Amino acid sequence: MKKNKTIFMGLERKNNSLPLSNYIVVPIPFERSVSYGHGTAFGPKAVLEASAQVELWDEETKTETWKENIFTTAAVNCKGTTRIVFNRITKTVKDVMRYKGIPFYIGGEHSITQALLEPYIEKYKKLSVLHFDAHADLRAKFEGNPHSHACALYPASKQVPVVQVGIRSVGDTECENINSGKVKTFLMHENRDIKKLIPQVLKNLTDTVYITIDVDGFDPSVIPATGTPQPGGFGWYEALDLFREVINKKNIVAIDVVEACRRDEDTITEMNTAKLIYRLMGYLSQKKK
Ligand SMILES: [Mn+2]
């Protein structure tokens, strides 16, 4: 079978369409405020290309989720000022929300979550956010910029409950924002027993959940190519245990997966990110059965 490298999993069903799809993949190759390593702009393309190498039958969920229709939209145009691009992202979200499919937004740097979350916060009065990340991302501004990747969750944290996991890097200007107000932060070093962590995460989330996954929440041995890596993150199976439980117990409105970079040394990051996204789709599909 000839695979199409511009769509998720490299193929789609005959007569696939946006209204018919159970999953909607939206590439957002935005990169503007990166402070250290570069390459998130190439992330979505690399993840789509790698997804064509992921097996269509998933060995854990025992599903062939692609058959439920996965629609990949054109990439969001990320040219222009941050304000212009964020407006475009929010408009795209509003378009996508008209359909039944669960959206997977693929970044791009984490700042896009600010624009992605706005329409969900507006629509769902009891929304909460599961924030998987190495970094707290709760600075009001970073290097003078309120739309930096280091501020990704700050606006949302003033409006809805944000539950943070994987956190192992907190700046001196944001340390007062963790475990304060609407933010519940599970620092990685204090929460290494995943079996104990999961029920606490579930307890702190509302029933309606938006999941934002910065892939640097994983240990760098799982996801090596990220802009600002940190040691000691989630293992593959630990993270899957958490995501499976949250998906099974909560109503998931959308998922974003951000900060995957492309580098020349290897293809581990894009491959594992693609597999993660397909696995999460599998959990969502299993739940419906
Ligand atoms: Mn991060």
Side-chain angles (χ1 to χ4, degrees):
M1 205 182 317
K2 184 119 173 51
K3 295 280 184 85
N4 175 348
K5 286 182 180 172
T6 65
I7 61 174
F8 191 68
M9 299 305 284
L11 84 171
E12 52 189 4
R13 296 200 83 162
K14 245 191 209 161
N15 305 324
N16 189 25
S17 70
L18 196 48
L20 276 182
S21 296
N22 281 350
Y23 303 100
I24 303 170
V25 174
V26 183
I28 310 177
F30 181 75
E31 176 171 347
R32 204 59 50 86
S33 70
V34 281
S35 40
Y36 187 44
H38 292 260
T40 54
F42 305 107
K45 189 168 178 279
V47 170
L48 291 181
E49 280 179 22
S51 72
Q53 303 300 320
V54 175
E55 293 287 4
L56 297 169
W57 185 78
D58 184 89
E59 85 284 358
E60 185 193 322
T61 62
K62 302 186 170 47
T63 52
E64 281 192 90
T65 310
W66 74 277
K67 288 183 176 170
E68 294 176 34
N69 291 308
I70 302 170
F71 189 91
T72 307
T73 71
V76 174
N77 173 4
C78 290
K79 291 199 182 85
T81 63
T82 299
R83 183 182 294 271
I84 288 171
V85 178
F86 277 21
N87 285 342
R88 242 182 244 137
I89 292 171
T90 301
K91 188 183 170 300
T92 302
V93 171
K94 287 181 175 169
D95 288 345
V96 164
M97 280 167 101
R98 305 195 338 251
Y99 301 98
K100 65 165 182 166
I102 297 176
F104 280 73
Y105 303 102
I106 307 180
E109 65 171 57
H110 207 168
S111 50
I112 61 170
T113 301
Q114 291 187 351
L116 290 169
L117 264 171
E118 257 182 50
Y120 291 100
I121 292 175
E122 208 176 284
K123 179 171 177 186
Y124 298 98
K125 294 298 163 225
K126 294 203 171 150
L127 187 77
S128 59
V129 179
L130 174 62
H131 175 209
F132 178 94
D133 202 322
H135 311 88
D137 287 355
L138 290 174
R139 288 170 162 97
K141 277 184 184 179
F142 186 63
E143 293 168 347
N145 177 9
H147 303 301
S148 161
H149 62 97
C151 315
L153 271 295
Y154 181 78
S157 74
K158 298 293 170 198
Q159 303 172 75
V160 295
V162 174
V163 181
Q164 306 190 300
V165 295
I167 309 301
R168 52 200 192 276
S169 174
V170 182
D172 57 359
T173 57
E174 63 181 341
C175 60
E176 61 202 27
N177 294 336
I178 62 167
N179 283 317
S180 139
K182 294 180 185 298
V183 181
K184 177 69 189 170
T185 305
F186 293 100
L187 293 172
M188 192 74 199
H189 74 282
E190 293 173 351
N191 294 281
R192 289 168 60 195
D193 183 342
I194 188 77
K195 286 206 174 77
K196 283 187 183 152
L197 174 63
I198 289 171
Q200 295 185 72
V201 169
L202 293 172
K203 207 175 82 189
N204 281 279
L205 288 169
T206 61
D207 289 338
T208 306
V209 176
Y210 179 104
I211 304 180
T212 178
I213 302 174
D214 181 331
V215 293
D216 68 25
F218 283 99
D219 189 78
S221 59
V222 181
I223 301 282
T226 67
T228 38
Q230 288 289 325
F234 273 88
W236 175 249
Y237 291 106
E238 293 172 324
L240 290 180
D241 285 347
L242 172 71
F243 292 136
R244 190 190 311 105
E245 279 301 297
V246 172
I247 286 172
N248 282 335
K249 302 274 161 60
K250 306 291 182 182
N251 171 34
I252 308 300
V253 295
I255 299 178
D256 72 47
V257 182
V258 299
E259 296 283 342
C261 294
R262 198 188 58 190
R263 62 177 191 180
D264 294 335
E265 292 94 311
D266 60 72
T267 54
I268 301 170
T269 297
E270 52 265 48
M271 188 66 201
N272 293 0
T273 303
K275 179 140 184 162
L276 171 72
I277 293 168
Y278 196 53
R279 177 64 50 80
L280 298 182
M281 288 176 179
Y283 291 156
L284 288 158
S285 293
Q286 251 187 341
K287 188 184 164 180
K288 279 188 247 142
K289 283 170 189 151

